[in-house]
Amino acid sequence: MTSRIYRVIDDFCFPNQSSSVCVNGVDIAIVRRDDCTGCEACIVFCPVDCIDLIEAPENPAEKYVLIDKETCIGCVLCARYCPWDSIDMVV
């Protein structure tokens, strides 16, 4: 259960439709939808309640988490406690 942490240069952007991105200063939490099971573990540990469980637009039976970029503080708890290792933090 280890999260991956990367260092990026300048304003690197992740043009990946299968991820949701939260930008807070230099911290970016990326949820890989293909790996997210919707178990809600990250929601429980989020201290600012910025993670929501939503339905995938292409398949309402599939659920995944979305992180609110306005509320996220980049604390890394969601990535640390994700049992499926589906959240990456980019610093």
Side-chain angles (χ1 to χ4, degrees), residues 36-44 53 63 65 81-84:
C36 179
T37 64
C39 72
E40 302 183 42
C42 56
I43 296 172
V44 173
L53 186 66
K63 299 192 184 322
V65 296
Y81 290 106
C82 175
W84 304 104

Side-chain angles (χ1 to χ4, degrees), residues 1-90:
M1 208 166 56
T2 60
S3 62
R4 289 176 286 281
I5 299 178
Y6 304 93
R7 170 122 354 241
V8 295
I9 300 172
D10 300 326
D11 295 320
F12 187 80
C13 182
F14 293 89
N16 185 347
Q17 294 180 353
S18 66
S19 300
S20 59
V21 178
C22 167
V23 180
N24 179 19
V26 295
D27 297 292
I28 302 171
I30 301 172
V31 179
R32 291 186 314 282
R33 282 179 46 188
D34 292 341
D35 296 334
C36 179
T37 64
C39 72
E40 302 183 42
C42 56
I43 296 172
V44 173
F45 287 100
C46 179
V48 293
D49 195 29
C50 73
I51 306 173
D52 291 313
L53 186 66
I54 63 169
E55 295 176 350
E58 61 279 357
N59 180 7
E62 179 185 336
K63 299 192 184 322
Y64 66 95
V65 296
L66 184 67
I67 301 172
D68 179 8
K69 68 178 183 175
E70 301 298 321
T71 311
C72 178
I73 59 172
C75 70
V76 190
L77 290 175
C78 60
R80 183 174 297 144
Y81 290 106
C82 175
W84 304 104
D85 199 27
S86 65
I87 302 174
D88 293 329
M89 295 301 295
V90 179

